[in-house]
Amino acid sequence: MTNPFLHEALIDEAAISANAAALCSDGDADLFVADVRADGYGHGIVESARAAIAGGATWLGVSCDADVAQLKSAGLGAPAVVIHRGHAKQLGAKGSVLAGALIRGPELYGLTADARVKPTMRVSGRVVGTKTISAGEGVSYGYTYRAPRTTNLALVALGYANGLDRFASNRGSVQLDGKLRMIAGRVAMNVIVLELGEDSTQTGAEAVLFGNPDSDEPAISAWASSLGKPAMDIASVMGSLLPRRYR
Amino acid sequence: MPHGEVVVDLAAFQTNLRLMQKIVAPATIMAVLKSDAYGHGLLRLARAAIDAHITFLGALDIPTALALRRARLGDEIDIFAWLHTPGDDYRTAIDSRIDLGISNVAELNAILAVNSTSPARLHLKIDTGLHRNGASEEDWPQLVRAAVHAQDGGRARIVGVWTHIAEASEQEDTHAIARFEAAIALAEGLGAHFTVRHLAASAASFARADSRFDLVRVGAFAYGISPGGGVTPHQLGLHPVMTLRSAVTEVAVGSMTRTALVPLGTGDGIPREVVNTVRVALGGELLLITDIGLDWFTVDLGDHDVAVGETVVLFGDGSSGELTLQAWADALGTIGEEIAVRLSPRLQRIYTF
C-alpha cells in the first residue's frame, strides 16, 4: 500500500522513447536490445518496453520467463532475450546467443553520463510539517544533527522505505522551493528532515530528490555520487518502492 | 523456485509479539505494520497480529489504514494513521473509525472541515525533542484547546496523546519522558482526557518501564529485528521472521576458481555493498559474495562442490547456518529494517506457520 499523495516516482515515457531513438545510431537497429530487467530499472517493465519499442528497439532484454509472461500478457509481442552478464541469449534451454547484440540498459533510462540521453525518472516527496528549532537542539534518532543556530526545518515524506538510503543522513541534499537543502539527522523509514536556515516553506510543498536538470532540478547522477553508488541502483530500487506516475 | 523468495515465519512474528506483550504489561501493544509490514506483507501480518490478540494496528498513513479496515479484521480493531498530506481522504478515514495522529491546528481544521457525521478520533502529538512532527511546547496549549473545543461540539473525540523519542541516550530519553508527562498534565488542565498515552517504540519499551504508559508501538522487535550495534535478536529473546533465499542457476569452474551464480541482484533490493562483505549459506558452508549486478550475484565456492538448483539462503534465523538479518546490517553499517523494506515487492512472499 503506497500513498501517491505523499511521494512519487514520475516516469517520462517519451524520454525513454527519445533515448532509445538516440541510441539506435550506435549500431544495427535489428540488434538493438532494450534492457527492461528489474522492472525496467524501476520504471515499469511494460511501460519501458513499450516506450523503447516506440523509439526503435527491436528486442527486449529480460531476466527470466516471468518477465516474458508479463510482457506477453500486456500485449507486447517483441522478441525477448535473457541478458546474461554482458550478452543476450535467446529463450529456451538451447537458445543461442544473439551475436552482435546492442544491449542498452542504464543508457535507456538516462542513468549514464552519455550526453545524448535524458533522465527518465523524477522522485519527489511532500512537505508534511514545518517547525523552528533553537541552536543546540537535536533532530531525528540519536540526535546526530544539532542545529548550529536557530533554524527552520521541513519534514518531508521520503524515507529509507522509499529507497532513500540511510547513508544519506547528514550527507545528502534535496531541492525544496528551488534550493538544495541538507538532510538534517538520520533518514527514518518514512521521513527526512531538511534544514532550511532562515527560509520557510509550506506544508504540501514538493521536495525534489532528483528530476530533470534542464528544468534546474538535481540530477540523479548528483544524488548517486553523493552516496557513492551507480544511478541505476537508485532508480531500480526507488521505482520499485514508490508509487509510479506516468506522463 | 522463482528467482528469489522472501519466507515469512508468522509463528515467529506472533511469538515476538507475545514476548513483547508480556514484557510491557500492563501496557498493551500496537503492532506497527507500516511500509507493507516492514516488507513482510501488510494483510497477512495484520491477521497474524490479531490472531496473537493484538487489537491496535499502526498503519502510518490513511490509505494503508483504510486497506486494513477494508480487510474486515474486526470492527473493534483500532487502526492508527499519523502521516497526512492535504490530498488525504479524511472523510473516509473518520467514517471508517481510523484513529488519527494530529500535530497541529491546521491538520485538525482540515480533518474537521470534512464534516463527517462521526466524531474524528484524535491522538494529539507533542514534540518532546525529536523535532519531526508533533506540536512544539509553545503550540501545544493551542492544539489542545482546539481539540477540546471540537470534542465539546461533538465533532471529535480525544482518544490519545503521544510522542516519539530519539533514543539518543538514557538521559535524553528521560528528558523526553518528563516533557511528555508535563504536556499531559497541561492538557488535562485544559480539559483533555486521554484513554491511551503512548511514547515508546520497540527498544525503549523493552528497556524502560517508565516509557510504556498505556500503549507501546512495536515494529522492529515484532519482526525479530534488534537495534544492532552487536545486540542480536537472540540475546533479546526475539526470533527472526524473514528469510531470503534463492537457488544456484549456474556453476562456473575456472582454472583457479569455482563460482556459483545466484539470480538476485541490486534490482531486487540487495545492497551493492554486500560484495566482499557478506556471506551466504550454500551447501552447508558460509560463502563470500564476490560480485553483483542488476539481477545476479556470484559466490566464491572455493573447493566446494555445488549443484545447479541448490538452495542459497542469504539471511534468516540461522537454522541453515546462514547469517541473520542483524549480521547483514552490522556488516553493511545499517539497521535490519533498511535491508528488509528495500527488498523488491516483486519478490514472492511465502508464509509459514
Side-chain angles (χ1 to χ4, degrees), chain A residues 1 3 5-6 37 41 63 84-85 131 133 138 140-143 146 160-161 166 188-190 230 233 240, chain B residues 34-35 38 61 63-64 85 87 127 129-132 134 164 166 172 250 261 272 294-296 334 337-338 345:
Chain A
M1 180 51 58
N3 184 344
F5 297 116
L6 289 176
R37 291 175 300 156
Y41 288 67
S63 293
H84 209 151
R85 290 202 285 168
K131 65 180 48 172
I133 62 170
S140 195
Y141 297 120
Y143 293 154
R146 296 269 178 185
Y160 63 78
R166 269 182 93 246
M189 191 182 289
N190 309 102
D233 290 17
S240 75
Chain B
K34 62 182 187 170
S35 299
Y38 288 42
D61 57 7
T64 307
T85 78
D127 183 354
L130 194 65
H131 294 126
R132 298 196 328 205
H164 212 127
E172 295 281 8
E250 203 177 297
L261 187 71
R272 180 170 294 275
L294 189 68
D295 56 357
W296 56 267
T334 186
E337 292 97 312
E338 181 170 34

Side-chain angles (χ1 to χ4, degrees), chain A residues 136-138 143 146, chain B residues 125-131 135-138 140 161-166 171-187 199 213:
Chain A
E137 292 193 286
Y143 293 154
R146 296 269 178 185
Chain B
K125 186 169 188 187
I126 174 78
D127 183 354
T128 52
L130 194 65
H131 294 126
S136 64
E137 284 171 12
E138 192 184 11
W140 180 243
V161 58
W162 67 301
T163 191
H164 212 127
I165 59 170
Q171 195 192 14
E172 295 281 8
D173 289 350
T174 300
H175 288 319
I177 291 167
R179 286 190 204 109
F180 187 53
E181 287 170 337
I184 293 169
L186 194 149
L199 167 139
F213 295 90

Side-chain angles (χ1 to χ4, degrees), chain B:
Chain B
M1 77 172 71
H3 70 290
E5 288 175 345
V6 175
V7 184
V8 177
D9 182 348
L10 294 174
F13 178 65
Q14 292 177 323
T15 302
N16 294 334
L17 285 171
R18 286 194 197 99
L19 172 75
M20 291 302 290
Q21 180 58 76
K22 202 170 145 193
I23 288 170
V24 307
T28 57
I29 284 182
M30 175 194 296
V32 178
L33 301 171
K34 62 182 187 170
S35 299
D36 201 26
Y38 288 42
H40 294 67
L42 178 68
L43 296 183
R44 293 299 294 265
L45 279 280
R47 290 196 184 97
I50 287 164
D51 288 345
H53 307 293
I54 301 295
T55 59
F56 221 127
L57 306 178
L60 181 72
D61 57 7
I62 288 172
T64 307
L66 293 177
L68 287 168
R69 186 60 84 206
R70 288 182 188 124
R72 302 190 181 283
L73 302 167
D75 292 342
E76 74 288 4
I77 301 297
D78 293 312
I79 303 173
F80 185 48
W82 63 93
L83 195 67
H84 313 304
T85 78
D88 276 325
D89 185 356
Y90 291 125
R91 177 68 190 256
T92 307
I94 296 166
D95 292 347
S96 306
R97 211 180 69 80
I98 304 302
D99 285 20
L100 299 168
I102 298 297
S103 290
N104 54 61
V105 173
E107 260 176 11
L108 176 62
N109 288 340
I111 286 166
L112 298 177
V114 301
N115 286 320
S116 172
T117 49
S118 321
R121 296 170 58 85
L122 307 179
H123 292 235
L124 308 183
K125 186 169 188 187
I126 174 78
D127 183 354
T128 52
L130 194 65
H131 294 126
R132 298 196 328 205
N133 45 22
S136 64
E137 284 171 12
E138 192 184 11
D139 294 341
W140 180 243
Q142 189 197 3
L143 176 61
V144 173
R145 279 194 197 98
V148 169
H149 180 71
Q151 178 164 270
D152 290 345
R155 294 183 297 156
R157 199 185 138 211
I158 299 171
V159 176
V161 58
W162 67 301
T163 191
H164 212 127
I165 59 170
E167 298 183 357
S169 69
E170 192 85 9
Q171 195 192 14
E172 295 281 8
D173 289 350
T174 300
H175 288 319
I177 291 167
R179 286 190 204 109
F180 187 53
E181 287 170 337
I184 293 169
L186 194 149
E188 286 175 345
L190 294 171
H193 296 283
F194 305 107
T195 317
V196 277
R197 302 162 298 159
H198 49 113
L199 167 139
S202 292
S205 70
F206 191 91
R208 295 183 66 147
D210 64 349
S211 74
R212 292 169 195 155
F213 295 90
D214 305 306
L215 181 72
V216 302
R217 303 181 301 266
V218 177
F221 283 20
Y223 304 98
I225 300 172
S226 62
V231 179
T232 68
H234 296 291
Q235 283 171 306
L236 302 176
L238 301 169
H239 299 269
V241 172
M242 182 186 280
T243 296
L244 178 60
R245 69 186 183 198
S246 183
V248 173
T249 50
E250 203 177 297
V251 176
V253 181
S255 55
M256 304 289 285
T257 57
R258 201 188 272 264
T259 304
L261 187 71
V262 182
L264 283 177
T266 55
D268 300 294
I270 310 291
R272 180 170 294 275
E273 298 77 11
V274 295
V275 172
N276 294 324
T277 307
V278 164
R279 291 172 186 271
V280 297
L282 171 54
E285 303 286 334
L286 264 180
L287 302 171
L288 190 65
I289 297 178
T290 50
D291 199 4
I292 195 165
L294 189 68
D295 56 357
W296 56 267
F297 68 83
T298 53
V299 175
D300 178 12
L301 295 178
D303 298 332
H304 303 290
D305 223 357
V306 158
V308 168
E310 206 158 326
T311 298
V312 180
V313 184
L314 286 82
F315 57 77
D317 66 4
S319 60
S320 304
E322 74 277 12
L323 298 181
T324 59
L325 180 59
Q326 193 57 56
W328 273 54
D330 289 345
L332 298 172
T334 186
I335 54 177
E337 292 97 312
E338 181 170 34
I339 297 164
V341 297
R342 282 171 69 101
L343 292 176
S344 171
R346 292 177 306 122
L347 289 171
Q348 192 178 350
R349 268 66 176 173
I350 291 175
Y351 297 90
T352 63
F353 300 93

